[in-house]
Amino acid sequence: MSNHDITQKSETDTHPEKGEAALKELAEHVLDTAKRLGADSGETAISRSQGFSTTVRMGEVETVEHNRDKSLVVTVYFGKRTGAASTSDFTLAAVEDTVRAACTIAKYTAVDEYSGLADPDRLATTIRDLDLDHPWDITVQQAMEIAQQCEDVALRFDSRISNSEGATVSTHRGTEVYANTHGFVGATSGTRHSLSCSVIGEHEGSMQRDYWYSTNRDYRELESAEAVGQTAAQRTVQRLGARKIKTTQCPVMFEAPVAASLLAHFTRAINGSALYKKASFLLDQLGNPIFSDDVYIGEKPHLPKAVGSANYDSEGVATEDRDIVNGGVLSSYVLDSYSARKLGMETTGNAGGTRNLYIKPGQHDLTALLKEMDTGLLVIELIGSGVNNVTGDYSRGAVGYWIQNGEIKHPVEEVTVAGNLKDMFKRIVAVGSDVDTRGNIRSGSILLEQVTIAGE
Amino acid sequence: MSQILELAQTKILEPAGLAQADLDKLFSQLVGPGVDYADIYFQYSRQEGWSLEEGKVKSGSHSIEQGVGIRAISGEKTGFAYSDELQFPALSQAANAARAITAQGESKSVAITTRSSDDKLPRLYATIDPLSTLADEDKVRLLERVEQEARRLDPRVSEVMVNLAAVHDVVMVARHDGKLAADIRPLVRLNVSVIASEGDRREQGSFGGGGRYGLDYFSDDLVNEYAREAVRQALLNLEAVDAPAGSMTVVLGPGWPGILLHEAIGHGLEGDFNRKGTSAFSGRIGEKVATEQCTVVDDGTIPNRRGSLSVDDEGTPTEYTVLIENGILKEYMQDTHNARLMGTKPTGNGRRESFAHLPMPRMTNTYMLPGEYDPQEIIKSVDKGVYAVNFSGGQVDITSGKFVFSASEAYLIENGAVTKPVRGAMLIGNGPDVLTRVSMVGNDMQLDTGVGTCGKEGQLVPVGVGQPTMRIDGLTVGGVQV
């Protein structure tokens, strides 16, 4: 083990600028090759990452996985024809072959007047320090000990905790370079660390599993091993004895970690590529009320240390803070240069998606919101992807708790929640202050006034 | 040496300057006291994709990935490292990292006198590179033809999207016990999605297929059928009414609805969950988990199927494994690691997404054998219920056994007849219990058309499913109509 740890450390200690410089040089080479092969313009994204993860299960180390990945994607334009290719082999011969493959494809694709790089005047010129790079100087052995401690807390939490899927610690660091033939070249290095735990409880012959995780770009801001283990166990125990409920229509609360999925369905529907293909239930809705009056949704791409933070999008366009829904009214779509041109609009700097999208939190925490709901279903997990982006029809499997008089009555499983997202967005009556900041979409718990639950 | 092994060596080992002696050196590093199993998995994979929208093939993509995954197992512990560089020093470093998990103990040199591979192994698909089975201009024309056919069928078709994908996968696995296996795996898929519009209403339909073939598999007749099916579904959905909500009798059509078996039964019978005791099916071999009409198998040996493999990713030949026989749970699906720990034999279900992922027990083609009922008789037997014939996907919670699968084409059954189409709805049930409610199994067993992809712990692998028409007495339909 000692040999290996030294390897990990010495690589982690490599100065990021040095790695960035090498990838920038490779990016220039890729673009030069594209031009040499006759391309009028081109762009490339090159990434490199490494790290490891270790899982401890029932007190014993189960796996140690060492990751080391790299990828190079090149897109070339011959006039208005496009071709793309990628490789994980960075040798000069392989890079040449890859650029050539992209050029070959561009011979056969159709002329598309909207294709091409982002407009040069939209490319990012200000590069802020977003504080994304916090390498964790940790050995595999130390990571195992943290995972062990985390799982141990979970296993001891309650006598009904009977089994485990283990606790995992992982740490990764990566560098990404994007360059195009407008002369833009940008590099970003960042880290991502996480600690997760999943345990199983047993009661009267039936089992339940739940989990908890903490993830952060800065390892010092991860929740403690004890906290993660305890929350995982608590959530599992609370699910024991779950049962079906009768088919009904009632208020439904989406707990913060699953509430973000409602916003993901929304951003998918206002994404430029869904709009120009007319594959969205929110066509031509700009300026119209989509949500209930109090809802504000925006994007903050420059939050320090946040998962989604970036100075520019995946085609080099500067990102900025912006409103998407104000007073329930849709004020902007989510566009890249291509879809913007198709729609006769300007890019919103969203190539590659939204970054730190959030719904403005309300004043009350989950407990207070449950009181406000009084009776209904609190959803803590959703399964199955039963969402139709063309019609907005929504039907997903749910696990949660039946709430009566604002308090948890019993756990619920094997039911579905269903409706149409257009109606569901308008039925949002409250957003909690309990914002989950772990993902690229930030939301508190969301209360909907009425949804159909199918059960017995 | 088999021809496939030679081809794999030429494609992977030779360009990196690796010889048999280098493999021996790596195993010397990997194998030592406490190591029960070790393997080195080489992969070279080339993929191509073409897509059409708005009547144009606007983009195409090409990718090459190659690398090696090295694994050492000691008891329940697995050490794993991979490298996308194939030169010996990178491999040696990966081997050391993988070996580290077994902690103490000097590695010692292992003498493997001969590496053996099974030349007699039946091969389930041609050793072709599907990317080169059709000229690039013909790939573009194929997509354009499908688009034109879809538009020709009905003026309400407003958008057509067509995707074509081809993969050429060359794998070679060397094991500590001297076993050496290689496989060359072609895989192609074509998918058509359409949106039909009428007034304010827009609905989608999609259909596709493929398998372990060259691109010449997509004959005019076949792709025209895909276009027809996609258009038919979209038009049908224009007429659909809200789905009912609640528990009712559900009749599933033949073929792709077999994802019921994949979600409700299949995952829960994978060896890893059962070794750990985390599945709702753990410890239930020999018990009755279905009605007597139900026999369910996982079969990796069907020629040219999307889920088939000549050998799995650990070099074990795939099998026809009976999971449930006349209602009785018979066997779990195993890879080598979980089979060894459970004291049983591997069933050829050790699969991985790529060299950069650890193998796990995974399904191949999972289906139910035909029963005795005429499908029409099954429909006639239902007073009130839902007839679901197409699905978009599913998911399962292994531990609680609860599963969902999402209908994309379904109808009401009223007084023994199929009546109105209903809008998409989720069906939800309990895995260990759902097949005990199967009251009629049809004689019309069908496999799906070759579109399934299964995700487990973040790893995607191609799979197949199938089943005859089936009546389930009591499954919750997640509609909105109370």
Side-chain angles (χ1 to χ4, degrees):
Chain A
M1 183 129 332
S2 55
N3 273 343
H4 158 66
D5 285 343
I6 291 161
T7 319
Q8 278 294 329
K9 269 192 199 161
S10 63
E11 281 167 10
T12 311
D13 290 343
T14 306
H15 207 256
E17 279 78 35
K18 199 173 143 200
E20 291 180 0
L23 293 191
K24 280 181 176 173
E25 207 172 295
L26 179 57
E28 272 172 43
H29 174 73
V30 168
L31 297 178
D32 288 346
T33 307
K35 283 187 193 153
R36 178 163 55 75
L37 294 174
D40 298 305
S41 59
E43 56 192 322
T44 184
I46 305 177
S47 68
R48 187 165 217 155
S49 72
Q50 62 179 43
F52 72 88
S53 71
T54 183
T55 299
V56 168
R57 180 177 171 270
M58 301 305 278
E60 298 284 338
V61 175
E62 186 173 65
T63 56
V64 179
E65 287 188 56
H66 298 269
N67 313 103
R68 182 189 295 230
D69 297 290
K70 56 192 204 295
S71 116
L72 182 158
V73 186
V74 57
T75 305
V76 297
Y77 303 94
F78 285 72
K80 294 290 182 185
R81 292 176 192 268
T82 310
S86 68
T87 181
S88 62
D89 185 346
F90 286 8
T91 58
L92 292 182
V95 169
E96 170 102 15
D97 284 352
T98 302
V99 180
R100 214 173 268 282
C103 294
T104 304
I105 286 169
K107 284 197 188 113
Y108 299 102
T109 50
V111 171
D112 181 357
E113 57 178 310
Y114 304 101
S115 72
L117 301 177
D119 296 341
D121 59 351
R122 296 295 304 273
L123 299 173
T125 48
T126 312
I127 300 297
R128 303 163 192 79
D129 179 8
L130 301 173
D131 202 15
L132 307 179
D133 196 29
H134 297 274
W136 194 0
D137 186 13
I138 183 176
T139 63
V140 172
Q141 185 64 42
Q142 288 165 332
M144 287 172 182
E145 283 161 15
I146 295 171
Q148 221 148 18
Q149 194 187 356
C150 178
E151 195 209 27
D152 187 58
V153 169
L155 289 173
R156 287 159 182 264
F157 179 81
D158 189 291
S159 61
R160 289 167 292 176
I161 299 288
S162 58
N163 202 340
S164 167
E165 288 185 339
T168 301
V169 171
S170 73
T171 173
H172 290 96
R173 184 184 196 198
T175 298
E176 287 170 18
V177 164
Y178 170 79
N180 65 31
T181 51
H182 284 325
F184 181 90
V185 54
T188 311
S189 291
T191 47
R192 183 95 184 245
H193 317 288
S194 60
L195 169 58
S196 64
C197 182
S198 173
V199 287
I200 290 164
E202 202 169 341
H203 183 61
E204 292 174 350
S206 86
M207 294 191 291
Q208 293 289 342
R209 165 209 50 86
D210 208 336
Y211 66 98
W212 192 248
Y213 73 97
S214 175
T215 182
N216 208 291
R217 290 188 176 275
D218 185 344
Y219 62 96
R220 288 163 297 200
E221 295 183 19
L222 286 175
E223 284 179 45
S224 71
E226 291 80 2
V228 171
Q230 190 170 333
T231 308
Q234 208 158 22
R235 292 180 72 93
T236 297
V237 169
Q238 274 182 343
R239 280 170 75 152
L240 289 168
R243 58 182 198 259
K244 262 176 144 167
I245 52 173
K246 289 223 180 313
T247 300
T248 182
Q249 289 180 325
C250 65
V252 169
M253 177 97 69
F254 288 79
E255 191 192 23
V258 294
S261 69
L262 289 175
L263 301 177
H265 303 318
F266 164 65
T267 54
R268 204 156 76 101
I270 57 162
N271 187 286
S273 92
L275 294 170
Y276 80 72
K277 291 176 200 163
K278 302 204 164 45
S280 162
F281 61 92
L282 293 179
L283 290 182
D284 305 320
Q285 294 296 329
L286 218 49
N288 292 347
I290 299 299
F291 287 87
S292 40
D293 296 351
D294 298 338
V295 172
Y296 173 90
I297 297 170
E299 208 186 352
K300 279 187 192 164
H302 305 143
L303 287 179
K305 292 186 181 176
V307 171
S309 293
N311 282 296
Y312 49 87
D313 72 2
S314 60
E315 50 184 359
V317 171
T319 52
E320 54 191 18
D321 285 6
R322 62 196 203 91
D323 305 340
I324 297 174
V325 169
N326 213 336
V329 172
L330 182 65
S331 58
S332 170
Y333 290 141
V334 169
L335 308 176
D336 60 8
S337 295
Y338 180 80
S339 61
R341 286 176 199 139
K342 296 278 301 178
L343 295 166
M345 297 179 164
E346 290 271 308
T347 177
T348 57
N350 287 111
T354 59
R355 300 181 174 278
N356 306 326
L357 183 100
Y358 70 104
I359 183 165
K360 197 173 161 198
Q363 303 297 315
H364 303 295
D365 64 7
L366 182 59
T367 313
L369 284 189
L370 290 177
K371 288 267 182 279
E372 185 180 331
M373 176 167 83
D374 190 69
T375 300
L377 183 70
L378 166 62
V379 175
I380 62 163
E381 189 173 334
L382 288 163
I383 63 170
S385 46
V387 182
N388 183 331
N389 204 42
V390 175
T391 60
D393 287 338
Y394 181 100
S395 174
R396 301 189 70 186
V399 176
Y401 302 104
W402 184 248
I403 304 296
Q404 242 171 27
N405 302 324
E407 277 167 23
I408 292 179
K409 197 81 182 159
H410 64 82
V412 174
E413 64 179 4
E414 209 182 330
V415 298
T416 60
V417 289
N420 187 285
L421 286 168
K422 280 183 285 191
D423 304 327
M424 290 165 72
F425 290 157
K426 291 212 168 119
R427 290 179 184 177
I428 292 179
V429 289
V431 180
S433 58
D434 55 335
V435 181
D436 183 351
T437 59
R438 293 173 297 181
N440 187 28
I441 295 179
R442 296 169 172 231
S443 178
S445 296
I446 292 181
L447 175 59
L448 276 69
E449 61 186 346
Q450 202 184 32
V451 177
T452 302
I453 313 292
E456 280 172 344
Chain B
M1 193 186 290
S2 79
Q3 185 213 354
I4 288 176
L5 196 54
E6 268 177 58
L7 282 169
Q9 295 200 347
T10 314
K11 198 89 208 167
I12 300 172
L13 297 191
E14 283 171 19
L18 293 171
Q20 292 281 341
D22 293 310
L23 293 184
D24 292 342
K25 272 190 247 167
L26 289 171
F27 277 110
S28 299
Q29 278 177 254
L30 267 175
V31 179
V35 172
D36 301 315
Y37 178 97
D39 62 14
I40 305 177
Y41 181 86
F42 294 92
Q43 185 180 29
Y44 168 89
S45 179
R46 210 155 71 86
Q47 313 200 5
E48 196 177 85
W50 297 85
S51 60
L52 175 146
E53 58 178 49
E54 299 182 310
K56 290 177 184 171
V57 175
K58 292 182 190 169
S59 63
S61 64
H62 176 272
S63 78
I64 295 179
E65 268 201 70
Q66 60 172 12
V68 61
I70 300 184
R71 174 169 69 139
I73 298 178
S74 171
E76 297 194 24
K77 298 185 176 119
T78 301
F80 178 58
Y82 60 84
S83 166
D84 51 22
E85 280 158 29
L86 291 176
Q87 282 65 38
F88 186 79
L91 267 57
S92 177
Q93 199 187 359
N96 276 337
R99 167 78 168 92
I101 190 146
T102 59
Q104 291 72 36
E106 289 290 296
S107 11
K108 56 181 178 197
S109 127
V110 276
I112 296 173
T113 44
T114 50
R115 294 204 168 272
S116 67
S117 67
D118 186 355
D119 293 353
K120 306 253 169 359
L121 202 64
R123 294 289 167 178
L124 304 177
Y125 26 81
T127 58
I128 45 170
D129 171 0
L131 281 68
S132 55
T133 51
L134 200 61
D136 286 343
E137 53 262 49
D138 294 331
K139 294 170 190 164
V140 170
R141 262 184 232 132
L142 173 64
L143 299 194
E144 289 170 348
R145 270 209 314 277
V146 178
E147 200 258 351
Q148 284 152 13
E149 175 66 10
R151 287 194 185 276
R152 191 187 64 78
L153 290 167
D154 198 290
R156 287 171 290 177
V157 172
S158 55
E159 308 289 328
V160 181
M161 286 149 268
V162 191
N163 290 294
L164 178 68
V167 184
H168 175 50
D169 201 16
V170 182
V171 305
M172 193 176 111
V173 54
R175 303 196 335 194
H176 74 288
D177 57 7
K179 189 163 186 176
L180 192 61
D183 200 7
I184 294 178
R185 301 167 175 168
L187 189 65
V188 297
R189 181 177 163 171
L190 188 140
N191 215 76
V192 192
S193 295
V194 306
I195 295 179
S197 313
E198 191 167 33
D200 284 348
R201 198 154 166 184
R202 273 188 320 280
E203 292 282 351
Q204 60 185 344
S206 74
F207 203 80
R212 300 200 177 278
Y213 298 99
L215 288 167
D216 47 356
Y217 174 69
F218 297 115
S219 66
D220 287 357
D221 284 353
L222 186 64
V223 300
N224 286 345
E225 189 196 319
Y226 293 170
R228 267 198 308 279
E229 267 299 303
V231 169
R232 187 188 62 75
Q233 283 183 31
L235 296 178
L236 186 87
N237 283 330
L238 285 174
E239 320 282 307
V241 299
D242 282 344
S247 181
M248 59 199 75
T249 299
V250 173
V251 177
L252 299 176
W256 182 234
I259 66 178
L260 164 88
L261 304 169
H262 178 99
E263 302 298 350
I265 307 294
H267 278 297
L269 299 183
E270 289 167 339
D272 45 355
F273 301 122
N274 288 287
R275 168 176 66 83
K276 298 173 188 174
T278 60
S279 164
F281 287 97
S282 297
R284 300 191 59 184
I285 297 271
E287 286 182 24
K288 192 163 164 43
V289 295
T291 54
E292 272 171 35
Q293 298 180 56
C294 299
T295 295
V296 180
V297 301
D298 183 80
D299 182 2
T301 71
I302 316 169
N304 301 110
R305 296 299 306 183
R306 184 173 162 88
S308 296
L309 294 174
S310 299
V311 289
D312 72 3
D313 292 319
E314 298 178 310
T316 310
T318 52
E319 291 179 10
Y320 175 93
T321 308
V322 178
L323 305 174
I324 294 171
E325 188 170 33
N326 302 326
I328 306 295
L329 182 58
K330 300 302 272 192
E331 202 174 351
Y332 299 129
M333 289 168 277
Q334 298 287 3
D335 62 359
T336 55
H337 177 48
N338 290 287
R340 188 179 52 258
L341 292 171
M342 291 182 82
T344 175
K345 63 175 187 40
T347 54
N349 289 93
R351 303 184 64 185
R352 63 204 296 174
E353 180 180 315
S354 79
F355 68 89
H357 300 86
L358 273 170
M360 293 184 277
R362 300 297 294 265
M363 285 172 262
T364 58
N365 305 295
T366 314
Y367 56 93
M368 180 181 282
L369 302 192
E372 59 187 26
Y373 290 96
D374 181 316
Q376 288 309 317
E377 200 181 339
I378 298 178
I379 301 282
K380 272 191 197 132
S381 74
V382 180
D383 275 347
K384 190 171 177 290
V386 164
Y387 176 49
V389 294
N390 264 302
F391 287 84
S392 59
Q395 198 178 330
V396 61
D397 176 332
I398 301 296
T399 303
S400 70
K402 304 300 174 275
F403 69 93
V404 293
F405 60 136
S406 177
S408 56
E409 179 184 351
Y411 305 82
L412 296 177
I413 306 176
E414 292 167 305
N415 303 318
V418 172
T419 60
K420 296 184 212 69
V422 294
R423 301 169 83 97
M426 198 63 95
L427 306 187
I428 189 163
N430 181 32
D433 153 277
V434 67
L435 293 190
T436 64
R437 297 167 187 240
V438 172
S439 56
M440 296 170 100
V441 176
N443 55 18
D444 56 342
M445 192 334 248
Q446 264 180 43
L447 295 171
D448 73 288
T449 56
V451 291
T453 298
C454 167
K456 174 176 170 185
E457 291 170 30
Q459 290 195 42
L460 302 177
V461 298
V463 295
V465 297
Q467 68 170 35
T469 297
M470 186 197 298
R471 174 180 159 152
I472 302 170
D473 297 338
L475 196 59
T476 298
V477 178
V480 293
Q481 203 65 45
V482 179

